[in-house]
Amino acid sequence: MAFEICVPATSANIGPGFDVVGLSLSLYLRLQVNIDVETSSSRTPTLSYEGEGADEAPLDPYKNLTTRVALYVLRCHGISSFPAGISIHVKNEIPFGRGLGSSGAAVIAGVLLGDRLGDLKLSTERMLDFALMVERHPDNVTAALIGGFVGSYLRELDESSTAAASVPLAEVLPEYPPDAGEDWGRDPPFPPTGIGHYVRFCWAQEIKAVAIIPQFELSTAKARAALPNSYSRKDVIFNLQRLAVLTTALGQSPPDPELIYEAMKDRMHQPYRKSL
């Protein structure tokens, strides 16, 4: 059996939509998956990699983000290991650490891989739940899963569901020791239902996205650490007003450049990250 999984790059925090809106782009992470039990009886996937990050991405399936997420999804459904004879060749066009959602794409690829290998037939909403157990901000992973221009948010869950969705990442994706057997990490934390919701906005066909990729990496943690702990009411209203306009303005045909320019202004994240 052979199949391919394709996940797009994304750009999030569009204009005033910090942690809210994301956009999928035409750069892709592709997994070419082959399962042949006649060539190997091993249940440890063989990974190969080409493209962006080929010198950095771990080829150990118990350290690689995509295969770790896939195993998490499988084990949440009572499937303790990968199928025998599986090999995965990765072709990646998405640069690491450059604001194009490389980790979000890897997480979504892992969820899709787990769903396909386990023949789980998860709904889109349920796949998003699994992704949000790993990537706690919805904007990139939602755009990577849904495609297009999307807005997303985390629901206010009840107390028990909030606790379930907030377990440490180390429990969701544990570091596998060298001597880990099939039974190790078999009962991972199960995601509650409906962690995040989303809506897909219109996007005018006349508008094309151009990604300017810097020659340096910037971690998400460092970028978030540059932000203040609180904002003035004036700045919050400034962003809300523009976001309300932007989500419609980008879908209008023909586009209004002056309206979009003004609606793209932000006071919640861009000013604080200029020096990074």
Side-chain angles (χ1 to χ4, degrees):
M1 180 175 74
F3 59 89
E4 181 172 290
I5 289 171
C6 183
V7 181
T10 54
S11 180
N13 304 328
I14 306 297
F18 176 65
D19 270 3
V20 178
V21 293
L23 174 69
S24 62
L25 303 170
S26 53
L27 295 171
Y28 298 96
L29 170 66
R30 291 182 171 88
L31 309 184
Q32 296 175 338
V33 184
N34 187 66
I35 301 173
D36 188 351
V37 294
E38 294 184 359
T39 60
S40 174
S41 60
S42 172
R43 292 184 176 274
T44 300
T46 300
L47 287 176
S48 56
Y49 204 103
E50 67 175 275
E52 292 285 343
D55 297 333
E56 305 172 53
L59 299 181
D60 181 340
Y62 297 104
K63 297 185 183 298
N64 182 277
L65 179 57
T66 295
T67 45
R68 289 169 70 197
V69 171
L71 188 57
Y72 166 62
V73 173
L74 289 171
R75 287 185 166 178
C76 280
H77 292 86
I79 304 170
S80 62
S81 63
F82 291 99
I86 181 173
S87 61
I88 303 170
H89 181 64
V90 181
K91 292 185 175 182
N92 182 39
E93 300 174 347
I94 308 173
F96 289 0
R98 309 294 173 84
L100 292 175
S102 59
S103 63
V107 169
I108 293 300
V111 173
L112 294 171
L113 178 61
D115 180 63
R116 185 68 183 269
L117 293 177
D119 194 25
L120 304 176
K121 297 181 173 60
L122 298 174
S123 67
T124 299
E125 291 76 13
R126 194 63 181 138
M127 286 193 278
L128 183 59
D129 289 335
F130 279 94
L132 289 172
M133 289 293 287
V134 180
E135 190 93 353
R136 302 298 171 92
H137 306 287
D139 41 6
N140 282 108
V141 289
T142 306
L145 178 62
I146 306 303
F149 181 39
V150 297
S152 56
Y153 65 89
L154 299 178
R155 286 183 58 208
E156 290 187 324
L157 303 172
D158 60 38
E159 187 175 348
S160 61
S161 294
T162 298
S166 304
V167 297
L169 183 58
E171 294 182 28
V172 179
L173 297 183
E175 293 288 342
Y176 285 78
D179 59 348
E182 276 194 27
D183 291 335
W184 197 91
R186 179 174 285 203
D187 298 310
F190 200 74
T193 300
I195 299 175
H197 282 189
Y198 64 88
V199 62
R200 189 173 185 181
F201 303 118
C202 295
W203 183 270
Q205 63 179 1
E206 297 93 337
I207 300 176
K208 308 300 179 185
V210 177
I212 300 174
I213 303 172
Q215 295 300 311
F216 61 87
E217 295 185 14
L218 178 63
S219 70
T220 300
K222 185 175 181 180
R224 297 189 79 85
L227 303 178
N229 293 324
S230 61
Y231 296 93
S232 70
R233 179 187 300 177
K234 180 179 179 181
D235 286 348
V236 171
I237 292 173
F238 180 95
N239 269 48
L240 289 174
Q241 289 172 333
R242 281 152 184 80
L243 182 59
V245 173
L246 182 66
T247 53
T248 298
L250 289 173
Q252 290 180 331
S253 182
D256 183 336
E258 292 185 7
L259 179 66
I260 293 172
Y261 177 81
E262 182 61 37
M264 283 287 288
K265 292 181 179 179
D266 164 80
R267 290 184 181 176
M268 298 189 75
H269 65 106
Q270 294 177 12
Y272 302 99
R273 291 171 165 174
K274 284 183 177 180
S275 60
L276 296 179

